[in-house]
Every structure is written in structure tokens, then in C-alpha cells.
Amino acid sequence: MTDLTAWIPPQLPPRTPINGRYVTLEPLGREHAAGLFEAFAEDGGAMWDYLPAGPHKDLGSYLAWLDAARLGWDPLHYAVRMADGRLGGTLSLMRIDPRAGSAETGWLTFAPRLQRTREATEAVYRLMEWSFEAGYRRFEWKCHAANLPSRRAAQRFGMSFEGVFRQAGVVKGANRDTAWYAAIDLEWPGLKAAFETWLDPANFDGAGRQKQSLAALTRPVLAAVDPLVG
């Protein structure tokens, strides 16, 4: 049994930007609405399939959602500012429980311009980094069990498969089974090294192709593999 008598619960995250090599995570504000809606317009609506909100038919409806979301502390939403200055999407810290030392990333709405980029990977990494280095013990990822791209992403990011909660919710009038993944603080040093190796410019050739995959770098850290994605 791990002795936690000297452990001090971490603080709640501040509403301040998180800076990375390729991205800046900016606390979501009204000033982001137009740029985000423009980014989301690149998508035909599929990115919203497993989310409880969206797609938004016009800027006004998106702004109404954003106005409610930006004022909350849990989820704490961030806009992703890409290296070229454009906005690429949002993600959040949520289910933040300092007493347990646990936090989750969720509400990932990554527009096509952000998907499958270094910026997308770093956005998730920087939330994980903030959480563990602030003293959190556990970093979670949950998704609709039918969302195979999200399940692959969780494992690629070094989060171990913990099972599927059957009939865990109802989203947009349909059942949701929820797949659970997590990384813990003992795994963090190995995961941090994997992300830093992958994000290093030396890991990419002149055409931007990766030399080492993140999945290969994080796989040795996994405590359990998702049998559905391998």
C-alpha cells in the first residue's frame, strides 16, 4: 500500500495560458469565437458526432455555447493557438478532483487544420504536463466506446486502457458506452521523455515526416493495451 500521509493535494488550475513549443493553450474567451467557428467550418460535422453539443449552425449559436462554457471552472476550456497564429480547436481539463489528485482531458474539438499535427499532440501533452507537475496523481481520458480514433489517440498518448463502462450515459438520444484510459504519476517521467523526444524538431525530416512514432515511444510505458485498437 502506498503511503500518502505526506502527500499534499494540488491546487485547482489557474485561468492562465499554457505555453508550449508549437501551441499556446488560451483560456476560452469571447475573443476566440469567430476564429474557432471559422476553423470548425472546415469540418462537415463529423467531429461533433460523439460530443454532447454541436455542430453549431451559425456563429451566434456557437457564441451562445461558448458564453456558457467560458465561465465555468470544470470543465476549464482552452482554445488552441497554433504556431501560425490561427485557432485550431479547443480542449479542456475536467472532472478536476484535487482531493484524489485526479483530472481528465475532454471536450476535444480539433478542426481539420489541427488534426494529425504536432500542435494537436502537444496540446494534449501540455495539459498532461501541467497536471502532473502541479501534483496530480492521475490523468484520465474517456470517450465513447464506438469512437475508435479517440481510443487510438488515448493509447498513443500513453494512457493505459482500464475498461468499458456499459450504458454509462445517453448522448444526443443514443446510448453511450464509455471507454476509460489513464496515466499515473509513476509513469509520468517515461511519458514526458517520450513526448519530448517526439516533439523535438530533430524527430522530423525536411518534409515534416516523423522519424519515430509517438505510439512506439509511449507503448513501453503502458500498463494495459486496448484490445480493440492493438
Side-chain angles (χ1 to χ4, degrees):
M1 183 179 296
T2 303
D3 181 6
L4 294 176
T5 54
W7 179 71
I8 300 173
Q11 298 296 310
L12 289 168
R15 200 185 293 271
T16 55
I18 298 174
N19 298 307
R21 185 194 296 266
Y22 304 111
V23 296
T24 300
L25 306 183
E26 302 173 359
L28 188 63
R30 285 194 121 223
E31 67 275 14
H32 298 119
L36 287 170
F37 187 73
E38 175 188 274
F40 297 150
E42 299 170 354
D43 175 75
M47 60 182 281
W48 302 96
D49 284 351
Y50 297 107
L51 292 169
H56 303 277
K57 65 181 187 300
D58 54 39
L59 178 57
S61 64
Y62 179 64
L63 185 56
W65 178 88
L66 184 148
D67 270 339
R70 69 185 176 85
L71 298 176
W73 283 93
D74 192 346
L76 178 56
H77 292 272
Y78 295 88
V80 180
R81 180 79 61 182
M82 301 173 67
D84 62 7
R86 297 182 301 165
L87 294 169
T90 71
L91 76 170
S92 75
L93 278 174
M94 57 188 289
R95 291 170 53 92
I96 306 164
D97 186 352
R99 293 170 300 175
S102 177
E104 176 185 344
T105 187
W107 278 100
L108 275 74
T109 55
F110 287 1
R113 67 178 63 167
L114 180 59
Q115 295 168 14
R116 296 178 293 279
T117 64
R118 277 177 264 186
E119 288 106 324
T121 293
E122 189 183 26
V124 175
Y125 167 49
R126 294 304 173 189
L127 282 190
M128 188 186 297
E129 179 184 49
W130 183 89
S131 300
F132 283 125
E133 297 192 358
Y136 286 81
R137 306 171 58 237
R138 174 178 169 88
F139 188 80
E140 299 178 337
W141 176 293
K142 302 184 187 76
C143 63
H144 196 300
N147 189 350
L148 293 183
S150 185
R151 294 178 70 157
R152 292 188 190 98
Q155 187 160 291
R156 174 177 175 266
F157 290 137
M159 285 177 263
S160 297
F161 179 63
E162 296 186 333
V164 174
F165 283 30
R166 299 173 299 160
Q167 296 187 185
V170 178
V171 178
K172 294 178 178 175
N175 175 65
R176 170 174 161 142
D177 295 347
T178 298
W180 285 55
Y181 305 80
I184 61 174
D185 54 357
L186 294 177
E187 298 157 352
W188 171 237
L191 290 176
K192 183 178 178 66
F195 277 103
E196 290 293 340
T197 297
W198 189 83
L199 288 167
D200 192 314
N203 188 44
F204 298 88
D205 65 19
R209 293 183 295 259
Q210 65 181 0
K211 298 175 182 177
Q212 296 186 80
S213 73
L214 182 61
L217 291 164
T218 58
R219 193 174 184 89
V221 183
L222 296 176
V225 173
D226 185 341
L228 201 62
V229 301

